């Protein structure tokens, strides 16, 4: 990466919310990339805050959850945790068709490493979130301890949070998700993304499928898996089969996972919207705090 | 009014958020008007919830605070209070110049009764909020007790909340505001609005000036005035002289007001944004609850 610029800041819940832009992201093939970060007032150089990364869903930018789920910051302020919210895809790659659908291209990076031309040059949100974002936080000079990291997200971002966690043992202390795409090789959103971004199509996409990844966790490692999922029972995308949280739950309920560390909750009456996220955001932050501060 | 239609609903913080549209509003000269209402789960026909009206600021619709300050609903859910959020002006009056400025016409109704042509036919947000909105809530058949009403708002909506409260003793039990335009006859936003909407211009506007209205409360009635104001010390509009909260505070500090019932807080570091509202929304709801449930 090169060129990190602080664009603006707002005080919220005693902490400060910053927006930064990386002028040239190496993971994203030289494109600029913006992210938001909430720093609690309790963070200081001598007492840096651990970091919870929040990944957004289809069509969103770094601003949607920032603006519509301020309960994230309320809880993070109480816990002394930072929240980092990246964008959902590269922007302005100038690839034909990039802006044609809501579920592919811009706003739909799927948190993977594209291997298929012409997407492979820019669409590497996995590396961006895993490596470049923590690097940018260090360059920013904020009082954060990126060695203590957890990850959460919504819908496509829930897929990102679960799959990055399960693909990279030891990087994140815990993972949670709101209405996540749990089993993307078996739903339309996931199939379209994998066929479009990956040379090997849906088959290659199995390596990003959280349900399959969960099933592959070695038995002796299962007790260390920390996952919280909330999904709404009035969620139309769930009804269409895009999320498949129940399939994920079936694997999660198999022997060897620690019941205190893995929790999947189907919430009566809630839909796929930010109202759902705002309602349960604080519980997720408090849950991650156990691992980030433990 | 005629024709009330429920457009959609979302569950949030255990309650239900509804959007309604009045097809033809009489206060607004026959135009349609939309509003949102949060109904707590504890409300029922035998135990109807009291109502807190939230008035938004310049450029906003009924959706901005609804989406960006869900902490309103979190606190309202805990207190068993409904929140009603109307739009900020008539829409589609087809008056020349209606959509030309951000601070006059559409999105800038100023919660008054326009007396100047051509605005007087449609721009009567005062009557809409005072009479038609409570009537619509009754027609909607929601379990609400509109006889127990309080009012809050932001910026221009803070002006609305304070001025409607002070102009109509006995209608609202309490009034609060975030970053309100307190003394509109002395600021650019207010002068432009009064000159544009009122035949008598700024002079006629004195009847809507909260600072002047507060000064006119009879001494023996001052102990009954319930007002809470939060304003940010990093608010650029305050620095430009648009709000004049300090002028309002000078009047409020005069003898005869009850120190337990009138509170004006200048909050360090906060600006004019929804991050500020989201941070303090719960405190306002809990404060109104004392009067709504007392």
């Amino acid at each position: 990466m090169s060129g990190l610029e602080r664009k603006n800041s707002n005080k919220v819940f005693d902490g400060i919310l910053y927006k930064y832009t990386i002028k040239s992201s190496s993971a994203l093939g030289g494109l600029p990339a913006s992210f938001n970060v909430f720093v609690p007032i309790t963070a200081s150089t001598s007492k840096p805050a651990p970091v919870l990364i929040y990944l957004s869903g289809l069509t969103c930018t770094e601003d949607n959850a920032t603006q519509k789920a301020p309960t994230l910051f309320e809880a993070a302020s109480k816990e002394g945790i930072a929240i980092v919210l990246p964008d959902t895809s590269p922007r302005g790659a100038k690839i034909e068709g990039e802006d044609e659908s809501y579920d592919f291209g811009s706003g739909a990076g799927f948190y993977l490493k594209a291997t298929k031309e012409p997407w492979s040059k820019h669409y590497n949100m996995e590396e961006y979130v895993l490596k470049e974002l923590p690097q940018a936080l260090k360059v920013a000079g904020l009082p954060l301890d990126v060695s203590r990291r957890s990850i959460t997200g919504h819908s496509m971002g829930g897929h990102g949070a679960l799959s990055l966690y399960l693909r990279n043992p030891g990087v994140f202390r815990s993972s949670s998700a709101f209405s996540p795409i749990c089993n993307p090789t078996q739903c339309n959103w996931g199939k379209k993304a994998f066929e479009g971004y990956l040379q090997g199509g849906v088959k290659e996409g199995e390596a990003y499928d959280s349900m399959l990844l969960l099933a592959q966790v070695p038995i002796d490692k299962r007790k260390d898996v920390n996952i919280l999922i909330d999904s709404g029972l009035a969620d139309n995308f769930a009804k269409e089969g895009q999320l498949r949280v129940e399939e994920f739950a079936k694997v999660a309920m198999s022997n060897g996972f620690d019941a205190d560390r893995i929790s999947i909750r189907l919430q009566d009456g809630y839909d796929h919207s930010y109202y759902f996220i705002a309602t349960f955001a604080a519980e997720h932050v408090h849950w991650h705090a156990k691992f980030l501060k433990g």
Side-chain angles (χ1 to χ4, degrees), chain A:
Chain A
M1 58 161 281
S2 70
L4 184 69
E5 197 179 344
R6 184 185 287 181
K7 309 297 274 191
N8 51 49
S9 65
N10 300 86
K11 189 166 178 181
V12 59
F13 289 107
D14 278 339
I16 307 290
L17 177 69
Y18 299 101
K19 181 184 282 290
Y20 285 91
T21 297
I22 299 169
K23 283 187 182 169
S24 173
S25 152
S26 18
L28 307 180
L31 294 173
S34 294
F35 63 89
N36 296 323
V37 49
F38 169 81
V39 179
I41 194 173
T42 47
S44 64
T45 315
S46 59
K47 200 193 158 198
V51 170
L52 176 61
I53 294 174
Y54 179 100
L55 304 179
S56 284
L58 290 168
T59 77
C60 292
T61 69
E62 70 277 12
D63 290 334
N64 299 65
T66 303
Q67 295 177 353
K68 293 184 174 178
T71 42
L72 283 170
F73 308 138
E74 184 174 23
S77 182
K78 285 179 189 157
E79 295 284 4
I81 289 173
I83 312 269
V84 177
L85 304 100
D87 201 349
T88 55
S89 75
R91 301 282 170 178
K94 296 181 182 163
I95 297 171
E96 203 186 321
E98 190 186 20
D99 298 320
E100 271 173 21
S101 8
Y102 82 97
D103 56 0
F104 189 76
S106 295
F110 269 86
Y111 306 104
L112 47 69
K113 175 180 174 52
T115 52
K116 190 170 167 179
E117 291 290 338
W119 306 96
S120 51
K121 184 177 172 198
H122 296 294
Y123 279 67
N124 189 350
M125 287 299 289
E126 181 177 48
E127 187 183 322
Y128 175 73
V129 171
L130 276 180
K131 298 190 180 157
E132 201 160 13
L133 198 53
Q135 189 192 343
L137 294 171
K138 283 186 183 171
V139 172
L142 297 168
L144 307 180
D145 175 8
V146 295
S147 75
R148 286 182 291 151
R149 256 183 288 173
S150 289
I151 191 161
T152 183
H154 173 236
S155 197
M156 175 185 74
H159 145 73
L162 296 172
S163 62
L164 288 176
Y165 173 68
L166 292 165
R167 279 167 65 79
N168 300 279
V171 170
F172 301 103
R173 295 194 174 188
S174 49
S175 174
S176 79
F178 305 86
S179 336
I181 304 171
C182 285
N183 185 197
T185 58
Q186 300 297 321
C187 78
N188 292 338
W189 281 338
K191 286 179 193 170
K192 181 173 177 177
F194 295 152
E195 280 161 10
Y197 292 131
L198 303 176
Q199 245 177 343
V202 175
K203 185 73 195 161
E204 189 179 340
E206 289 175 0
Y208 296 97
D209 186 303
S210 298
M211 194 199 85
L212 301 177
L213 291 164
L214 189 71
Q216 289 159 25
V217 175
I219 305 248
D220 64 315
K221 298 286 183 193
R222 292 192 171 183
K223 64 178 177 14
D224 304 323
V225 170
N226 305 317
I227 289 177
L228 168 65
I229 293 176
D230 276 308
S231 196
L233 287 169
D235 183 323
N236 284 330
F237 295 116
K239 290 177 191 169
E240 286 172 15
Q242 298 280 22
L243 310 184
R244 296 174 64 85
V245 174
E246 298 84 347
E247 304 303 312
F248 188 89
K250 277 183 202 161
V251 176
M253 282 186 288
S254 69
N255 291 335
F257 289 101
D258 183 335
D260 290 341
R261 292 172 165 232
I262 193 155
S263 177
I264 298 171
R265 312 184 302 188
L266 301 178
Q267 303 283 6
D268 183 46
Y270 286 94
D271 59 27
H272 202 73
S273 71
Y274 277 93
Y275 298 117
F276 174 55
I277 303 172
T279 301
F280 293 99
E283 290 184 23
H284 283 237
V285 172
H286 293 311
W287 181 83
H288 284 290
K290 290 189 299 184
F291 306 105
L292 286 170
K293 295 159 72 179

